[in-house]
């Protein structure tokens, strides 16, 4: 009964973090300062209301994010696995790439990904720009090469002109990466009821939600899920209390986590702590997609 009560309380707390009235996904192009006194002393910080971005790069990046020309067989785009209509994910256990290939790991959300300190579950990319190389060239994802992608974009008059308007040297690998990354940085979901609570707005959360948030902090969830993205700012071992992988069985290479990047045995089973922003929209949960619901994830 005690375990069930904890799971219920934590699930409620996690769900409230996703309580966005209508998250604005349009690019924000100015910085608005929030007085420090208006933000409560909390381990979680509100998402910035606005962000300084280049509108031209955001617009071009949006087109490229939805562009199947970036995949080898012209069938898969970034949005195929990171649908903005599905919380920035595909809600699949494993993503499906070209030729119906099944990926090795669950696709994380692209929403608020610019707030993460590293990209990918194993943190192998330090920036959004560097992250783009992975899925575009992975055989079981988009399976393309930069040579063929750049050649295709040059053949498209609209793309060639759009790049030339922003960059003097036109279509280049780094420019493609930069514009997609700029668009991804625009995918903030600010001003949720939870953020308004953090900024001191009275009655932004219900009494039940406030009780859930208190449990979230008291039970220690906050140890790994804090900061502006409620996670995404550290690595942690999957299975701190119990041996998660021994209980689940069927170990895969992806389960090694950070070890696959560093080769350091101390990093085995360590993963980037995922953000809990909009988490109610991004099931199934964990790198292996093993938890179908928030209640299962908490347990």
């Amino acid at each position: 009964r005690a375990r069930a009560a904890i799971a219920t309380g934590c699930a409620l707390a996690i769900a409230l973090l996703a309580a966005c009235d209508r998250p604005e996904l349009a690019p924000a192009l100015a910085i608005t300062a929030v007085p420090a006194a208006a933000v409560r002393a909390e381990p979680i910080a509100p998402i910035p209301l606005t962000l300084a971005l280049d509108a031209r790069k955001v617009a071009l990046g949006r087109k490229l994010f939805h562009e199947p020309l970036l995949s080898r067989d012209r069938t898969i785009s970034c949005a195929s696995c990171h649908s903005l209509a599905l919380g920035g994910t595909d809600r699949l256990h494993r993503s499906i790439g070209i030729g119906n290939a099944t990926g090795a790991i669950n696709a994380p959300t692209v929403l608020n990904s610019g707030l993460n300190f590293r990209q990918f579950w194993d943190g192998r990319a330090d920036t959004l720009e560097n992250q783009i190389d992975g899925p575009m060239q992975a055989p079981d994802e988009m399976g393309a090469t930069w040579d063929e992608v750049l050649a295709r974009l040059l053949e498209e008059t609209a793309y060639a002109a759009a790049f030339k308007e922003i960059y003097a040297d036109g279509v280049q690998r780094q420019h493609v990466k930069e514009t997609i990354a700029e668009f991804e940085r625009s995918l903030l979901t600010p001003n949720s009821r939870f953020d308004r609570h953090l900024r001191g707005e009275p009655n932004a959360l219900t009494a039940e939600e406030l009780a859930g948030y208190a449990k979230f902090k008291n039970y220690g969830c906050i140890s790994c899920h804090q900061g502006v993205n409620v996670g995404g700012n550290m690595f942690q071992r999957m299975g701190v209390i119990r041996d998660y992988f021994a209980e689940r069985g069927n170990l895969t290479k992806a389960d090694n986590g950070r070890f696959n990047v560093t080769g350091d045995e101390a990093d085995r089973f360590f993963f980037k702590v995922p953000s809990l922003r909009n988490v109610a929209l991004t099931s199934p949960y964990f790198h292996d997609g093993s938890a179908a619901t928030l209640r299962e994830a908490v347990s």
Side-chain angles (χ1 to χ4, degrees), residues 20 27 57 84 106 140 175 234:
C20 295
K57 293 179 182 178
L84 303 187
N106 183 259
D140 59 352
H175 301 336
M234 68 169 70

Side-chain angles (χ1 to χ4, degrees), residues 31-281:
I31 295 178
T32 300
V34 177
V39 181
R40 299 182 179 187
E42 290 280 0
I44 298 175
I47 291 177
L49 294 176
T50 54
L51 191 66
L53 298 171
D54 187 313
R56 298 175 304 166
K57 293 179 182 178
V58 170
L60 179 53
R62 180 186 292 272
K63 292 179 181 178
L64 292 169
F65 186 84
H66 294 87
E67 181 55 77
L69 286 177
L70 271 59
S71 65
R72 189 181 68 202
D73 63 1
R74 304 171 189 246
T75 63
I76 300 293
S77 72
C78 305
S80 299
C81 298
H82 301 284
S83 170
L84 303 187
L86 299 176
T89 70
D90 52 18
R91 295 185 185 167
L92 297 176
H93 183 69
R94 300 279 194 280
S95 295
I96 304 299
I98 59 173
N100 290 319
T102 301
I105 205 163
N106 183 259
T109 180
V110 73
L111 299 185
N112 302 308
S113 58
L115 302 177
N116 293 329
F117 85 130
R118 297 285 190 279
Q119 305 300 327
F120 295 116
W121 284 98
D122 58 15
R124 64 185 181 274
D126 59 348
T127 66
L128 285 171
E129 285 85 353
N130 291 337
Q131 180 272 337
I132 293 165
D133 287 312
M136 201 198 78
Q137 298 176 105
D140 59 352
E141 296 185 50
M142 300 173 82
T145 67
W146 275 109
D147 285 343
E148 62 187 342
V149 166
L150 295 178
R152 291 173 184 178
L153 294 177
L154 281 168
E155 290 173 357
E156 299 289 328
T157 304
Y159 275 125
F163 274 99
K164 196 68 175 177
E165 182 180 336
I166 302 173
Y167 303 101
D169 52 353
V171 179
Q172 301 291 334
R173 173 176 174 173
Q174 189 57 37
H175 301 336
V176 173
K177 294 167 63 172
E178 184 177 275
T179 52
I180 294 176
E182 191 81 342
F183 168 65
E184 291 175 337
R185 289 190 181 94
S186 78
L187 299 177
L188 295 182
T189 59
N191 210 33
S192 67
R193 290 191 298 110
F194 183 61
D195 282 336
R196 299 205 301 272
H197 163 74
L198 293 175
R199 287 192 168 95
E201 180 180 321
N203 305 316
L205 298 180
T206 67
E208 188 177 27
E209 289 168 340
L210 288 171
Y213 182 40
K215 287 187 176 182
F216 183 83
K217 291 187 285 188
N218 292 336
Y219 286 132
C221 310
I222 203 73
S223 298
C224 299
H225 294 284
Q226 52 359 60
V228 67
N229 216 15
V230 198
N233 60 359
M234 68 169 70
F235 297 112
Q236 185 54 273
R237 180 183 175 87
M238 186 68 171
V240 174
I241 307 301
R242 290 158 52 178
D243 193 333
Y244 174 83
F245 293 108
E247 293 182 7
R248 193 206 66 188
N250 300 314
L251 200 68
T252 69
K253 181 179 179 181
D255 291 330
N256 289 321
R258 188 75 179 145
F259 171 82
N260 290 331
V261 179
T262 68
D264 187 340
E265 187 59 40
D267 287 333
R268 193 181 296 274
F269 307 142
F270 272 73
F271 297 85
K272 182 187 69 180
V273 175
S275 166
L276 296 185
R277 293 282 184 180
N278 308 295
V279 70
L281 305 176

